[in-house]
Amino acid sequence: MSTALYADVILPLPLNATFTYRVPDEYASIKAGFRVIVPFGSKKYYTGIVASTSVIAPTGYEVKDIAMVLDNAPIVIHPQLKFWQWISDYYLSSIGDVYKAAVPAGLKLESETEVTLNPDAEPDERASLGERELMVVALLESEGRMSAGQIGKRTGFRNMEALLSRLIDKGIVAVAEKLVERYRTLTESYVRISMPKDNPEAMRDAFSTIGSAPKQQLAFMTLLQLSGFNRRGQELSEVKKSDLLEKSGVTAPVISALEKKGVVEVYKKEVSRFKHTGVLSPDLPELSGAQAEALDGIHKSLMDHAITLLHGVTSSGKTEIYIHLADYVLRQGRQVLYLVPEIALTTQLTRRLQRVFGDRVVIYHSKFSDAERVEIWRRMLGSHEPCVVVGARSSIFLPFSGLGLVIVDEEHESSYKQFDPAPRYNARDASMVLASMHGAKVVLGSATPSVETYYKAESGRYGLVSLMERYGDVKLPEVEVVDMKLARKRLQVDGTFSMATVAAAREALDRGGQVIFFHNRRGYAPFARCKACAFVPKCENCDVSLTYHRHTNRLVCHYCGATYQIPTVCPVCREPEIEIVGYGTERVEDEVERIFHGRRILRMDLDTTRSKEAYGSIIDDFSAHKADILVGTQMVTKGLDFGDVSVVGILNADHIINFPDFRSSERAFNMLEQVAGRAGRRNTVGKVLLQTYQPELPVMADICAHDYRSYYSREIEERRLFNYPPFTRVIYIYLRHRQCDALVDIAARYANEMRILFGSRVSGPDEPMVARVQSLYIRKIMLKVETNASMKKVKGILLDLYVRMSALSGFKGTVVHYDVDPY
């Protein structure tokens, strides 16, 4: 008698545990990483991942069987499961949430509720059915399984849920679960001749079968030529059906007729969705003296440090250094992960890498479809060949088999942080752990490194290599601070533009250059307002003013996505005095059109780049000089390389600086310095116009001087004084509830309990800047813990506290989540 085997399974649910199932004998060969279908609850089925197997039977509850094993080999490998557990422990999230974030949706089966007739129903039960119920039964008898929606559509009945509920209660109908696989392989049709080669008699028979049909003869002759069928000593070439149709000029029914006559065979073949078709230039980019020195410094640094920071000013040529590093690792037969903060960057970067590495470049990000992401996942899983994976933060979850190097470009970027949903991880930090699990090295690159990263490099924990001159010895741009208070007093402002900014832009455009206007707020205008009583329309679900979008002529909530019509009269004072106030990128675009009439304009923000193709087309058009002016949000700050941009206008620096957060100064310096770096990247000295109402702030002087060290020295002392990172680790605990009064009480009790456990490390609860989102009121508690504290132990303490608090009266309905290392 064989020993029973049990599997601990990770389910895609926000639960802090795995669940144990018995493994049927026919699946006894499964191991960690296999996908399995398992029952959960009374009627649900989920796709789980086997975390481990054991012969020890669990006690205390009935163990269910695994319903099905989906694969012949694991789709998740050991280092990934170990990495998932680290993310779960460090970022205080459930392992189920990590699984949901890591694995493409196309590899997770969906459960769609359907109904079917109950085969065990007693015949006399139907005698009590009404006319509508009998019609449903008759429909199910003829069609088998159907969803409630399909039944309602066929019968025309409303309120199908209640009708089906009665049938289920009577035992006539049962709920079925139809599991649907989302991923479909991409296939292409090919055509081949269905006779053996070098057989003259079979060839004569084929032409005899075709007869006098001229189009069939043409298609057959074209196929002979394309496949090389009549050429002796040559292997046959596969011929795509689409190519055959194009070369012969016939239609698909002609090929079908040949297939019916048995002369040709049409077959399908799985093909890749990704193929590099450009020109391959395997020569590595030539490095300047400063770049070569930096590359040598990185190699030496990586001998002593697992992680090295490349601090290089904007346009210093860091990408060329990364290419040389990637080539070195590929020649060792290992893989490279090249992280970028925005999908937009992959367009320019991928082409540069593909010119050198060809099909060894793999792109992966969330704008790809399920099928595309699954194909990349399977390619990485089934191959150990060296490659360069270029991707945004989700690419850290791919199944790497031989990772040798991780490059994190623009390592300071907040885009590496996942905000919602859980797990709220930082891909930069997580990639360092991933690298250590594979024995790989890490290179971080930035012109404006994060305070934590630079502190670790200065203190010797990371290596540090500096590259302080631009490629080609191009000078850093001149930064001119425009005092908007003074400009308005002197009537030197047109809309949101100072006359100085307009004059500099006009001069650049007249010289044939290009201009970027940076404004970090999308939409047409930040809010609408009544001129009579100052009423501002707000979202019904969130405590935020609505943003006006002119292209839809609607007010939009940027937190929950709700849209509203613009009121024709004020709902408070009943006066028809609603006006649009402020500037978003849409309105800036209109102002640019008015001021620079006749110039070609592009806009890059979330609204214009919702598809993956949109990023590329905007970047290509601007790079090809099909537009003179680019208006954009922070997307334009992140490493884009436009050679003809000589002027950059920063329209509202104060909006970035005046933010109630301990990282606001860092965020402002990084963003403003990065956008300034888009100017003058080739032969001319660029110019940056920085419009602000606070020209006296120290950060303005640092940006003008491009002096990172001055900014860093001041910032690190403030962090030390107030005990913020890198001197502590910060965790935000968010509590949400539909009732404000209940939340205030619960948050106060929660914070008091935390103070008993953590003492003075706890601050709050506080009301965040946006205190209600999607009808849930929000409070925030801040916990500072020592940098050497075990996050696994902290997680255990916080989970125990949550369990104790959940038992208290009034806690029901409270949602709690954690944000570790918030950005």
Side-chain angles (χ1 to χ4, degrees):
M1 182 177 176
S2 61
T3 304
L5 185 66
Y6 299 89
D8 289 330
V9 177
I10 303 168
L11 297 180
L13 300 169
L15 302 169
N16 282 298
T18 56
F19 294 84
T20 304
Y21 292 85
R22 195 183 72 84
V23 180
D25 291 342
E26 62 267 31
Y27 300 133
S29 61
I30 71 165
K31 54 187 178 182
F34 272 75
R35 279 189 310 165
V36 292
I37 301 294
V38 292
F40 191 79
S42 57
K43 295 170 183 159
K44 287 288 183 183
Y45 284 81
Y46 289 99
T47 305
I49 300 290
V50 175
S52 62
T53 58
S54 172
V55 294
I56 301 172
T59 58
Y61 59 92
E62 181 185 353
V63 182
K64 297 178 181 179
D65 282 5
I66 288 174
M68 186 187 305
V69 175
L70 292 173
D71 306 288
N72 297 320
I75 66 127
V76 177
I77 54 182
H78 171 70
Q80 286 175 287
L81 290 172
K82 185 179 174 186
F83 184 52
W84 289 8
Q85 191 59 58
W86 179 84
I87 287 183
S88 173
D89 290 339
Y90 186 84
Y91 291 104
L92 309 181
S93 65
S94 70
I95 190 70
D97 278 332
V98 180
Y99 164 35
K100 282 174 68 178
V103 176
L107 287 174
K108 298 192 284 280
L109 299 184
E110 287 189 322
S111 188
E112 295 180 348
T113 302
E114 295 190 331
V115 293
T116 184
L117 289 177
N118 183 2
D120 300 324
E122 298 293 334
D124 58 356
E125 288 286 349
R126 297 194 183 186
S128 63
L129 298 182
E131 182 181 350
R132 286 157 56 95
E133 292 170 332
L134 286 170
M135 285 182 65
V136 172
V137 169
L139 184 60
L140 289 172
E141 281 180 332
S142 63
E143 299 292 334
R145 294 183 178 189
M146 296 182 75
S147 69
Q150 290 171 326
I151 297 170
K153 201 176 228 183
R154 291 284 294 275
T155 60
F157 297 160
R158 294 183 180 178
N159 198 15
M160 280 305 307
E161 289 76 15
L163 180 59
L164 290 172
S165 179
R166 290 198 299 271
L167 286 169
I168 291 169
D169 290 341
K170 293 176 180 179
I172 303 296
V173 165
V175 172
E177 290 296 325
K178 174 186 165 190
L179 290 164
V180 181
E181 179 110 47
R182 294 201 216 183
Y183 171 65
R184 296 288 182 273
T185 57
L186 181 64
T187 59
E188 192 150 11
S189 293
Y190 286 76
V191 185
R192 62 186 169 212
I193 295 166
S194 57
M195 68 186 77
K197 196 177 177 184
D198 302 326
N199 189 330
E201 186 176 340
M203 182 67 73
R204 284 194 297 271
D205 290 343
F207 277 106
S208 175
T209 303
I210 293 171
S212 59
K215 290 187 177 179
Q216 292 179 30
Q217 288 179 352
L218 176 60
F220 187 69
M221 294 292 291
T222 306
L223 180 60
L224 289 172
Q225 182 181 3
L226 292 175
S227 64
F229 193 87
N230 288 334
R231 290 192 283 273
R232 291 180 178 274
Q234 179 177 322
E235 289 190 15
L236 292 177
S237 301
E238 288 191 297
V239 179
K240 293 179 184 177
K241 185 178 178 180
S242 57
D243 290 345
L244 178 58
L245 293 173
E246 182 185 346
K247 299 287 185 186
S248 64
V250 303
T251 57
V254 175
I255 308 298
S256 299
L258 289 173
E259 187 179 21
K260 285 180 182 176
K261 290 179 177 180
V263 176
V264 303
E265 295 176 15
V266 179
Y267 61 100
K268 288 189 179 293
K269 183 178 177 183
E270 185 177 335
V271 295
S272 173
R273 290 176 170 83
F274 308 95
K275 197 73 177 173
H276 172 58
T277 55
V279 178
L280 189 64
S281 292
D283 293 335
L284 294 174
E286 189 174 338
L287 300 182
S288 67
Q291 286 174 313
E293 187 177 336
L295 176 63
D296 186 55
I298 292 170
H299 280 300
K300 290 177 179 175
S301 175
L302 291 176
M303 294 174 67
D304 300 319
H305 300 89
I307 302 165
T308 289
L309 169 64
L310 172 59
H311 180 203
V313 296
T314 56
S315 195
S316 57
K318 293 186 288 293
T319 303
E320 286 76 14
I321 294 173
Y322 298 151
I323 291 173
H324 278 261
L325 289 169
D327 177 69
Y328 176 77
V329 173
L330 291 177
R331 282 191 280 109
Q332 293 178 325
R334 304 191 73 182
Q335 298 166 330
V336 178
L337 172 59
Y338 194 138
L339 282 174
V340 292
E342 285 280 358
I343 295 166
L345 288 182
T346 61
T347 304
Q348 280 190 331
L349 178 62
T350 300
R351 290 172 189 160
R352 295 172 74 176
L353 292 172
Q354 284 179 331
R355 282 197 293 270
V356 178
F357 302 120
D359 286 332
R360 290 186 293 174
V361 177
V362 178
I363 309 108
Y364 188 84
H365 53 63
S366 59
K367 289 285 184 181
F368 282 156
S369 67
D370 279 344
E372 289 170 325
R373 296 177 82 189
V374 170
E375 180 170 327
I376 295 166
W377 187 282
R378 291 193 182 281
R379 172 180 170 179
M380 295 291 294
L381 194 65
S383 171
H384 296 277
E385 64 185 40
C387 62
V388 180
V389 176
V390 182
R393 59 177 178 259
S394 59
S395 57
I396 64 173
F397 293 115
L398 282 168
F400 295 97
S401 56
L403 190 62
L405 175 68
V406 174
I407 298 167
V408 186
D409 195 17
E410 310 293 353
E411 66 83 27
H412 64 276
E413 274 290 346
S414 61
S415 300
Y416 285 123
K417 175 70 174 177
Q418 164 76 12
F419 291 100
D420 274 312
R424 295 169 180 84
Y425 64 95
N426 188 310
R428 175 200 63 199
D429 300 340
S431 71
M432 298 182 203
V433 176
L434 176 70
S436 69
M437 290 178 175
H438 285 265
K441 300 291 187 178
V442 179
V443 174
L444 309 173
S446 177
T448 56
S450 70
V451 171
E452 288 96 320
T453 297
Y454 200 79
Y455 176 77
K456 291 171 183 174
E458 262 210 330
S459 59
R461 288 181 57 188
Y462 299 169
L464 176 61
V465 175
S466 297
L467 182 58
M468 292 293 107
E469 65 180 57
R470 281 183 149 191
Y471 186 78
D473 205 27
V474 174
K475 303 300 181 187
L476 286 163
E478 298 173 0
V479 180
E480 178 183 332
V481 175
V482 180
D483 185 343
M484 292 299 285
K485 286 184 296 188
L486 192 60
R488 288 201 181 276
K489 280 182 184 177
R490 294 176 176 176
L491 303 180
Q492 295 176 345
V493 175
D494 185 357
T496 192
F497 291 87
S498 70
M499 291 295 100
T501 302
V502 172
R506 278 214 173 100
E507 185 183 340
L509 293 169
D510 290 342
R511 291 197 311 264
Q514 291 175 296
V515 173
I516 291 177
F517 288 122
F518 168 67
H519 186 67
N520 203 32
R521 185 187 284 273
R522 66 186 176 99
Y524 186 82
F527 59 94
R529 181 178 64 193
C530 176
K531 286 191 283 186
C533 71
F535 165 77
V536 175
K538 288 193 172 185
C539 178
E540 294 174 1
N541 308 310
C542 312
D543 275 346
V544 290
S545 58
L546 298 168
T547 301
Y548 174 61
H549 286 249
R550 199 191 60 170
H551 70 284
T552 59
N553 196 33
R554 306 275 286 182
L555 295 170
V556 180
C557 175
H558 284 175
Y559 279 79
C560 71
T563 62
Y564 303 83
Q565 288 187 335
I566 303 170
T568 53
V569 297
C570 175
V572 176
C573 69
R574 309 306 298 171
E575 292 291 330
E577 297 288 339
I578 297 294
E579 63 175 346
I580 302 302
V581 181
Y583 285 83
T585 46
E586 274 186 65
R587 192 170 189 178
V588 170
E589 185 181 18
D590 277 1
E591 291 285 285
V592 170
E593 179 70 46
R594 177 180 61 81
I595 297 171
F596 302 93
H597 185 67
R599 296 292 183 177
R600 298 162 297 175
I601 304 163
L602 287 171
R603 175 163 57 91
M604 180 185 279
D605 56 26
L606 185 63
D607 298 312
T608 62
T609 56
R610 292 194 180 276
S611 70
K612 68 173 183 257
E613 291 81 12
Y615 286 100
S617 62
I618 293 171
I619 291 168
D620 288 346
D621 288 349
F622 197 63
S623 296
H625 226 309
K626 292 180 181 178
D628 306 302
I629 300 170
L630 177 64
V631 176
T633 57
Q634 61 179 326
M635 289 181 180
V636 304
T637 72
K638 300 179 181 182
L640 296 175
D641 186 15
F642 301 120
D644 294 330
V645 173
S646 53
V647 167
V648 168
I650 299 170
L651 302 185
N652 188 351
D654 305 312
H655 175 68
I656 307 164
I657 295 167
N658 299 328
F659 198 84
D661 184 77
F662 76 91
R663 293 189 193 275
S664 61
S665 176
E666 176 181 7
R667 202 177 290 116
F669 179 86
N670 290 351
M671 193 176 294
L672 296 174
E673 179 65 18
Q674 287 288 335
V675 73
R678 301 314 106 203
R681 296 174 70 89
R682 292 296 183 269
N683 300 318
T684 59
V685 178
K687 188 169 186 178
V688 180
L689 285 300
L690 198 163
Q691 297 184 176
T692 176
Y693 287 87
Q694 304 172 87
E696 71 283 354
L697 292 178
V699 70
M700 299 300 174
D702 294 337
I703 293 167
C704 287
H706 305 288
D707 192 346
Y708 175 84
R709 284 288 312 177
S710 171
Y711 149 74
Y712 168 78
S713 299
R714 188 175 59 255
E715 182 68 17
I716 198 69
E717 287 309 311
E718 284 191 15
R719 299 280 186 94
R720 194 191 311 272
L721 181 63
F722 294 104
N723 206 27
Y724 276 112
F727 304 105
T728 58
R729 181 172 288 130
V730 169
I731 304 168
Y732 288 158
I733 296 91
Y734 288 95
L735 295 93
R736 301 170 188 247
H737 200 285
R738 291 194 177 275
Q739 296 177 4
C740 185
D741 292 342
L743 178 63
V744 170
D745 178 60
I746 291 162
R749 294 165 72 183
Y750 214 100
N752 289 335
E753 289 295 323
M754 286 185 63
R755 285 189 180 91
I756 294 171
L757 296 166
F758 295 104
S760 59
R761 300 178 183 90
V762 179
S763 302
D766 299 314
E767 188 175 298
M769 194 171 69
V770 178
R772 186 170 65 106
V773 174
Q774 296 181 339
S775 299
L776 291 173
Y777 293 92
I778 308 169
R779 291 295 182 271
K780 180 180 76 175
I781 302 169
M782 182 169 67
L783 171 64
K784 293 179 183 176
V785 297
E786 291 77 5
T787 54
N788 60 354
S790 166
M791 290 303 292
K792 191 170 184 178
K793 289 182 179 178
V794 172
K795 179 182 180 181
I797 294 169
L798 289 173
L799 287 178
D800 288 343
L801 173 60
Y802 175 76
V803 171
R804 283 194 288 112
M805 292 296 294
S806 299
L808 299 178
S809 62
F811 193 84
K812 187 176 180 182
T814 304
V815 178
V816 179
H817 80 254
Y818 310 97
D819 189 3
V820 179
D821 300 336
Y823 201 96

